[in-house]
């Protein structure tokens, strides 16, 4: 049954991509608002193909009074979302033939040893055959001596403080279990501490802010909900659900529904472990980003949504060099057009990215080399793999763009769908900037959580003198550290006022950054020392001709005037590669 239903889901996605009339697009029911004010859909975005779920709530230890509420909630969710719930406490249900009926098995606050060896083997075979597991709350207080189960659940219970309110930090807002939530989620529950941290073996969806409550013991990194692919199957766990009241919260109910839908293969997500990424766009502001060309992006609810165009929002504060992995979440409203650019030089002209970089396309119904998952105009995605991994319009997807030298691998919701190698000597994937396209009126595509991980040799911080015209050094006037301090050229003297650090696309001295006053772009704009803030006013990129360019303005660091004495100020000026614009960095 699992194979048939999953194939039906893939065919639905393929039909949407093939240009099925929009009347078949997924639509949601009316939203409900929970006590936190979060807008929560009462049901999944569309009717999924029908399936069956087994809810197992046997206890051999502490029994939660909320189990009855949990069963009723899961049955209610099933009634409104096209799945049937069978609830049991009979471990005899764990046979190969019986488990084959179900797309998901929910362990609802089970405790202790609940399955014998034969039943454990049947469940292992079910997961290895592509089955789904959902663990709720005390599912982590179960089967301590069964290594397979510990790996499936992700972590096991250690202790808990009293029931209290805490702040949940939502780390992944693309997964169906958490996409409806804000960046934080305030709720009351019994918050488990776990014997191990699952972050290295599972994808963390949400974690606890241990400073927001008493009794957390996981050293500040406290996952509370996660997902993972496991031995051929899928596993989702949430630490919530101790209290009866939990099951009346629309946001928590939608959280459970999303977990069930994912393990039942009704929605897709990247559930590979994720560590070491640096945030380029977190949702709170667009510091370091700059719009090129017409149109733009609206920022609301931690989400950038495109409008107008053709333009591009590009990350001007940092050029990516060497090997890296770029991840971001995106959602198309319908048959919309957008893309992600990589490997292009600094420019305020969006066509520079088109002509000098590569675009990873987002577009449901174009030609194979110009549709979702393609390297636009160069290579189509593996369409069968793409269709199986793709969520339809209205639901979030995750791209990973992995660059190794001149090779680009593209992963959609954790599945590899394209593999392209640059052979154009005029282009390079090994260095350049990244950007998000706003294609035009009516093309509404949203982005969240843009992050990057440098995974190969990259330039590290370098410190020393910055030498310019007549061999003089870039100098902080009087070694002062106040915001607005003048930057000048001065005879090199080895002082701290002339010691600059090149790191992450900035030039730093005395703990502050080289800054274009007011983020200006006019010739003659003052260059000063200022508190580092990640904006484009503090981005500097060395060029092959010896100039140092501020990508936001497209202009160069320039020693002013025609004679250059000690104390001559530097300013911003149109690039011309004259002697007073050439600098040697550490």
């Amino acid at each position: 049954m699992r194979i048939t239903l999953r194939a039906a889901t893939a065919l639905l996605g393929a039909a949407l991509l093939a240009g099925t009339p929009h009347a078949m697009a997924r639509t949601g029911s009316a939203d409900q608002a929970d006590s936190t004010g979060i807008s929560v859909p009462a049901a999944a975005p569309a009717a999924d193909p029908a399936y069956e779920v087994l809810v197992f709530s046997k206890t051999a230890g502490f029994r939660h009074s909320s189990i009855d509420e949990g069963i009723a909630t899961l049955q209610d969710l099933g009634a409104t979302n096209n799945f049937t719930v069978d609830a049991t406490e009979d471990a005899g249900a764990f046979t190969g033939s019986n488990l084959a009926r179900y797309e998901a098995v929910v362990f609802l606050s089970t405790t202790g040893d609940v399955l014998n060896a034969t039943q454990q083997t049947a469940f292992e075979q079910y997961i290895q055959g592509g089955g789904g597991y959902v663990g709720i709350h005390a599912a982590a207080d179960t089967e301590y001596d069964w290594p397979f189960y510990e790996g499936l659940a992700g972590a096991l219970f250690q202790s808990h403080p009293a029931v209290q309110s805490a702040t949940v930090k939502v780390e992944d807002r693309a997964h169906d279990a958490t996409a409806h939530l804000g960046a934080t989620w305030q709720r009351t529950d019994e918050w488990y501490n776990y014997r191990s941290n699952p972050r290295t073996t599972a994808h963390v969806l949400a974690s606890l802010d241990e400073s927001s409550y008493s009794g957390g013991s996981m050293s500040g990194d406290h996952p509370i909900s996660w997902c993972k692919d496991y031995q051929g199957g899928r596993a989702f766990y949430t630490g919530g659900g101790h209290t009866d009241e939990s099951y009346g919260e629309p946001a928590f109910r939608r959280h459970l529904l999303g977990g069930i839908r994912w393990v039942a293969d009704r929605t897709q997500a990247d559930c590979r472990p994720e560590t070491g990424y640096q945030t380029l766009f977190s949702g709170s502001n667009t510091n370091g980003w700059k719009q090129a060309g017409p149109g733009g992006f609206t920022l609301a609810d931690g989400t950038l949504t495109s409008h107008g165009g053709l333009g591009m929002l590009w990350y001007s504060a940092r050029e990516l060099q060497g090997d890296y992995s770029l991840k971001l979440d995106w959602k198309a409203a319908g048959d919309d057009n957008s893309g992600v650019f990589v490997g292009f030089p600094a420019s305020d002209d969006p066509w520079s990215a088109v002509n000098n970089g590569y675009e990873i396309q987002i577009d449901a119904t174009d030609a194979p080399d110009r549709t979702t998952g393609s390297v636009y105009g160069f290579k189509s995605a593996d369409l069968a793999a793409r269709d199986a991994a793709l969520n339809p319009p209205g639901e979030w997807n995750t791209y990973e763009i992995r660059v190794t030298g001149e090779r680009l691998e593209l992963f959609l919701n954790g599945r590899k769908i394209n593999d392209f190698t640059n052979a154009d000597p005029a282009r390079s994937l090994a260095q350049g900037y990244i950007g998000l396209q706003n294609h035009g009126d009516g093309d509404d595509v949203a982005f969240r959580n843009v992050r990057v991980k440098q995974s190969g040799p990259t330039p590290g911080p370098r410190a020393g003198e910055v030498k310019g015209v007549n061999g003089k050094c870039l100098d902080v006037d009087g070694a002062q550290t106040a915001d607005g301090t003048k930057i000048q050229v001065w005879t090199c003297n080895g002082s701290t006022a002339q010691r600059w650090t090149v790191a992450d696309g900035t030039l730093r001295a005395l703990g502050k950054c080289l800054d274009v006053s007011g983020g200006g772009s006019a010739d003659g704009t003052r260059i000063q020392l200022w508190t580092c803030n990640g904006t484009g006013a503090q981005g500097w990129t060395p060029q092959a001709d010896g100039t140092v360019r501020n990508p936001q303005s497209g202009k160069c660091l320039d020693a002013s005037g025609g004679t250059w004495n000690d104390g001559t100020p530097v300013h911003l000026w149109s690039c011309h590669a004259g002697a007073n614009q050439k600098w040697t960095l550490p």
Side-chain angles (χ1 to χ4, degrees):
M1 177 177 288
R2 289 196 297 277
I3 294 173
T4 302
L5 291 175
R6 290 172 185 173
T9 303
L11 288 172
L12 174 62
L16 286 166
L17 284 166
T20 302
H22 290 175
M24 289 188 62
R26 296 190 173 194
T27 56
S29 60
D31 289 355
Q32 303 176 37
D34 72 1
S35 59
T36 66
I38 299 170
S39 180
V40 185
D48 292 325
Y51 59 104
E52 296 180 73
V53 173
L54 178 66
V55 176
F56 183 55
S57 56
K58 180 179 178 179
T59 55
F62 181 82
R63 184 169 183 83
H64 285 74
S65 63
S66 61
I67 287 176
D68 290 342
E69 291 290 335
I71 292 171
T73 291
L74 295 171
Q75 290 173 332
D76 184 47
L77 289 173
T80 54
N81 292 279
N82 214 26
F83 62 87
T84 302
V85 170
D86 292 337
T88 186
E89 299 202 354
D90 180 6
F94 284 74
T95 66
S97 59
N98 189 55
L99 291 175
R101 299 168 49 199
Y102 300 105
E103 296 294 300
V105 176
V106 180
F107 277 55
L108 174 60
S109 284
T110 49
T111 54
D113 295 331
V114 291
L115 300 179
N116 65 29
T118 300
Q119 294 157 355
Q120 288 177 357
T121 297
F123 189 56
E124 289 181 13
Q125 292 172 345
Y126 164 78
I127 294 295
Q128 291 160 354
Y133 161 87
V134 171
I136 301 175
H137 193 56
D141 189 22
T142 301
E143 295 288 358
Y144 289 92
D145 298 322
W146 182 14
F148 174 88
Y149 184 83
E150 181 177 2
L152 180 71
L156 296 178
F157 167 80
Q158 183 178 63
S159 64
H160 67 78
V163 172
Q164 60 193 294
S165 178
T167 300
V168 179
K169 299 179 292 184
V170 182
E171 298 189 23
D172 183 333
R173 297 184 65 203
H175 194 286
D176 195 51
T178 45
H180 63 290
L181 300 171
T184 58
W185 183 19
Q186 196 72 31
R187 62 181 309 271
T188 297
D189 217 314
E190 180 182 75
W191 303 112
Y192 278 6
N193 298 307
Y194 301 95
R195 297 185 177 190
S196 60
N197 191 317
R199 190 175 293 278
T200 58
T201 59
H203 180 72
V204 176
L205 301 175
S207 58
L208 292 174
D209 179 354
E210 289 193 334
S211 70
S212 70
Y213 73 106
S214 299
S217 65
M218 296 186 69
S219 302
D221 183 14
H222 196 141
I224 198 64
S225 180
W226 52 83
C227 59
K228 65 191 304 185
D229 296 294
Y230 187 72
Q231 293 193 18
R234 293 183 172 189
F236 166 85
Y237 173 82
T238 180
H242 170 84
T243 66
D244 290 5
E245 293 78 11
S246 295
Y247 298 96
E249 298 174 24
F252 185 70
R253 291 163 65 97
R254 185 64 183 85
H255 179 57
L256 295 178
L257 175 60
I260 292 169
R261 291 189 74 222
W262 180 74
V263 304
D265 203 10
R266 294 313 186 265
T267 187
Q268 307 303 317
D270 188 347
C271 281
R272 296 172 298 168
E274 184 174 313
T275 59
Y277 282 79
Q278 295 178 306
T279 298
L280 302 184
F281 169 69
S282 64
S284 58
N285 60 62
T286 54
N287 289 346
W289 293 82
K290 187 180 180 185
Q291 180 67 28
F297 287 81
T298 302
L299 173 57
D301 187 31
T303 304
L304 291 167
T305 303
S306 64
H307 61 85
L310 190 148
M312 176 184 65
L313 185 69
W314 63 293
Y315 192 66
S316 61
R318 179 177 175 185
E319 182 179 21
L320 298 182
Q321 297 177 312
D323 300 345
Y324 64 87
S325 165
L326 174 70
K327 284 191 175 184
L328 51 84
D329 305 328
W330 62 269
K331 177 176 70 173
D335 182 10
D336 298 291
N337 191 315
S338 185
V340 183
F341 286 104
V342 297
F344 60 90
S347 177
D348 285 334
D349 180 1
W351 287 101
S352 177
V354 174
N355 296 327
N356 299 291
Y358 287 104
E359 179 186 2
I360 310 307
Q361 180 72 340
I362 298 170
D363 186 345
T365 58
D366 211 329
D369 67 342
R370 299 185 177 190
T371 191
T372 298
S374 66
V375 181
Y376 185 88
F378 289 90
K379 187 172 183 180
S380 170
D382 177 335
L383 296 182
R386 189 276 311 275
D387 291 351
L390 181 66
N391 289 322
E395 295 188 25
W396 287 93
N397 292 276
T398 299
Y399 268 166
E400 180 194 2
I401 301 168
R402 185 184 298 171
V403 171
T404 309
E406 294 296 337
R407 180 186 185 190
L408 185 155
E409 298 169 273
L410 178 63
F411 297 79
L412 173 64
N413 296 322
R415 182 178 298 191
K416 186 173 177 179
I417 64 167
N418 208 335
D419 195 333
F420 169 78
T421 298
N422 171 48
D424 183 349
R427 303 175 192 244
S428 178
L429 287 165
Q431 63 182 40
Y433 291 85
I434 64 104
L436 312 175
Q437 184 185 66
N438 55 295
H439 188 269
D441 292 333
D443 285 318
D444 302 322
V445 177
F447 295 90
R448 283 178 175 171
N449 194 16
V450 184
R451 64 265 195 206
V452 69
K453 179 179 181 179
Q454 299 278 171
S455 55
T458 59
R462 310 186 309 275
E465 297 172 331
V466 175
K467 290 187 177 181
V469 64
N470 294 341
K472 292 185 180 289
C473 280
L474 195 65
D475 180 280
V476 180
D477 187 20
Q480 300 173 74
T481 59
D483 283 350
T485 297
K486 168 187 170 185
I487 305 297
Q488 58 192 8
V489 293
W490 198 274
T491 300
C492 298
N493 55 32
S495 69
T496 57
Q498 296 179 356
R499 183 173 178 81
W500 295 88
T501 298
V502 182
D504 294 330
T506 66
L507 285 169
R508 306 182 183 213
L510 302 171
K512 294 195 173 182
C513 280
L514 190 71
D515 179 279
V516 179
S517 179
S521 60
D523 283 352
T525 299
R526 172 186 172 89
I527 302 297
Q528 60 191 3
L529 196 70
W530 200 269
T531 300
C532 297
N533 53 32
T535 65
Q538 297 179 352
W540 299 97
T541 303
Q543 305 296 307
D545 60 5
T547 61
V548 175
R549 183 172 300 179
N550 170 242
Q552 177 170 278
S553 64
K555 295 191 175 181
C556 282
L557 183 66
D558 179 287
S560 61
T563 58
W564 304 286
N565 302 312
D566 285 353
T568 296
V570 295
H571 59 192
L572 196 69
W573 202 266
S574 297
C575 300
H576 54 66
N580 61 320
Q581 289 190 350
K582 292 191 175 181
W583 307 88
T584 302
L585 275 58

